[in-house]
Amino acid sequence: MASFMLTMWHPLVDTLFAPRPLQQRWRLLLFLPLTLLLYPLKSIPYLLSRPFVTYHIPTRRPDESLRALVYNHPSRCGKLKRKRPLHIDVHAGGFVGGIPEADAPFCTKLAESTGAVVVSVTYRFAPRYPFPAAPDDIADALAWLVEHAGAEFEADTEIVTFSGFSAGGTVALGGTLGAKDTKGRNRIKGSVTFYSLVDLRLPPEEKRRPPGFPSFDPAWYLLPLFDAYTAPSRLRNIDNPRMHPTLAPLRDLPVNMLFVIPTIDFLVYEQLDMVERLQREVAEEEKKLVPDRTNRKIEKLVFEGQYHGWLELPSGAIDESTRRKAFGSACHFLMDVHREYGFDITEIALQGNNI
């Protein structure tokens, strides 16, 4: 609970004690009420029920770790005849904040429906820690989990997937890019990204707005703050796929990918463009009939009339059927990935395992 509260107040601590330009300070202060209002509404029920175990994952930085929540921890669930798939979830927050507890509704459903060990992890935030701090943290988390999750959490590190909401999906794509297993195959077997930024070559205020986007953006004052992740090094990294996942070659991305995309979002075009490009490249690979070719699946789920971040709003603020559809589709997609690599939770349940 103490670490949860410290994370909640992160924008205020950063404003008061970190050297910041004035334009970032006042925006961080205005960002704080949003975190204090939204995160407790979503998180308190799960803080009380505690479907997870809190863990601290070591990083490449001595004496520093990443706070994570582990669902289907061996101490909280029944033992299966085989190890569970490993899933990594990365929360949203505009690159400047956020907490793993915010994704508890999705992570709880995912753990229950797929049987996977779900590790929801945080990362360092801008503006104090701009790119590449966040993807470096996710890369560190992945490396540690691949080495230790088998023994610590009874997870199968040969079946690794991830999910990410908004900036979390961007960070997850960048942090896992090009990850390979001991046989040189893609480490990440599947991913689900929810309205994630995939092309940061333009700052937020210069991105094209889609039809139906409000003429007045209520988050206008936060856009320069969200750009603090990339702005300091955008020009130096203009061709870097860790910053701009849309530039990543197909071979370095997860084998199976699902993009959940709302249409009233100025990120809609970059996501649709990335999906179209990847699907075209997959089709070209299939035509070549290359021996031992990796079978890939690139899918999109488009929600007409929905806004960026709508899935993170509390019950009553959105049409719950859209949340059920988005989360249900993501879970089924990842279950299919697990099944492709030999883990079928429905078959295991029929065999009488306690999950």
Side-chain angles (χ1 to χ4, degrees), residues 174-208:
T176 62
L177 189 67
K180 306 295 182 183
D181 62 19
T182 55
K183 297 180 180 178
R185 302 170 302 192
N186 294 64
R187 170 67 69 185
I188 307 301
K189 308 307 182 188
S191 69
V192 179
T193 52
F194 300 89
Y195 36 80
S196 291
L197 305 84
V198 295
D199 190 347
L200 291 91
R201 289 174 291 182
L202 290 177
E205 61 271 18
E206 294 184 23
K207 291 180 182 287
R208 182 159 58 109

Side-chain angles (χ1 to χ4, degrees), residues 76-354:
R76 298 292 182 89
C77 61
K79 188 176 181 63
L80 299 182
K81 293 179 180 179
R82 59 159 297 170
K83 291 183 176 181
R84 303 167 181 267
L86 172 64
H87 182 87
I88 302 169
D89 178 77
V90 188
H91 63 78
F95 303 108
V96 298
I99 53 175
E101 284 83 356
D103 288 357
F106 174 68
C107 291
T108 300
K109 179 176 179 58
L110 182 65
E112 290 175 349
S113 60
T114 69
V117 173
V118 179
V119 181
S120 184
V121 66
T122 193
Y123 46 93
R124 287 173 292 170
F125 305 136
R128 182 184 297 185
Y129 301 107
F131 178 88
D136 283 351
D137 286 347
I138 300 307
D140 288 351
L142 174 63
W144 187 90
L145 288 166
V146 165
E147 184 175 352
H148 298 280
E152 294 279 348
F153 309 139
E154 297 180 6
D156 184 349
T157 56
E158 294 299 315
I159 310 176
V160 184
T161 57
F162 75 73
S163 56
F165 288 77
S166 189
T170 314
V171 169
L173 285 166
T176 62
L177 189 67
K180 306 295 182 183
D181 62 19
T182 55
K183 297 180 180 178
R185 302 170 302 192
N186 294 64
R187 170 67 69 185
I188 307 301
K189 308 307 182 188
S191 69
V192 179
T193 52
F194 300 89
Y195 36 80
S196 291
L197 305 84
V198 295
D199 190 347
L200 291 91
R201 289 174 291 182
L202 290 177
E205 61 271 18
E206 294 184 23
K207 291 180 182 287
R208 182 159 58 109
R209 270 50 178 174
F213 196 88
S215 56
F216 174 77
D217 187 348
W220 67 268
Y221 63 95
L222 292 175
L223 296 184
L225 180 62
F226 298 154
D227 197 40
Y229 167 72
T230 51
S233 63
R234 177 179 281 115
L235 290 179
R236 294 196 306 273
N237 290 282
I238 201 68
D239 297 320
N240 188 346
R242 294 189 80 219
M243 179 181 281
H244 317 288
T246 194
L247 301 178
L250 180 64
R251 65 179 181 275
D252 289 340
L253 290 165
V255 178
N256 303 282
M257 304 181 73
L258 172 63
F259 295 76
V260 178
I261 307 172
T263 58
I264 307 181
D265 183 0
F266 60 69
L267 306 177
V268 61
Y269 296 119
E270 62 195 67
Q271 294 173 87
L272 292 175
D273 287 347
M274 183 172 180
V275 171
E276 182 181 354
R277 191 262 293 183
L278 295 178
Q279 289 179 336
R280 184 172 60 251
E281 292 182 5
V282 169
E284 290 171 357
E285 278 195 352
E286 291 174 347
K287 290 179 182 177
K288 293 177 182 177
L289 300 176
V290 178
D292 300 322
R293 177 181 55 83
T294 301
N295 292 318
R296 295 179 178 273
K297 181 169 57 177
I298 310 294
E299 297 183 1
K300 66 183 177 186
L301 180 60
V302 177
F303 283 85
E304 297 288 341
Q306 298 302 327
Y307 293 82
H308 183 92
W310 99 98
L311 292 172
E312 296 158 76
L313 295 176
S315 297
I318 66 169
D319 179 352
E320 276 298 325
S321 67
T322 62
R323 191 185 342 248
R324 288 194 297 271
K325 180 178 180 181
F327 286 2
S329 298
C331 290
H332 283 295
F333 181 86
L334 293 169
M335 286 173 67
D336 287 344
V337 173
H338 297 164
R339 193 175 296 115
E340 183 178 346
Y341 289 93
F343 183 92
D344 189 337
I345 189 62
T346 56
E347 183 178 305
I348 291 172
L350 289 173
Q351 293 173 354
N353 282 277
N354 178 18

Side-chain angles (χ1 to χ4, degrees), residues 1-9 54 56 67 69 99 101:
M1 180 66 77
S3 58
F4 168 77
M5 295 304 297
L6 285 172
T7 306
M8 285 276 294
W9 288 94
T54 304
H56 292 273
R67 182 169 173 271
L69 310 179
I99 53 175
E101 284 83 356

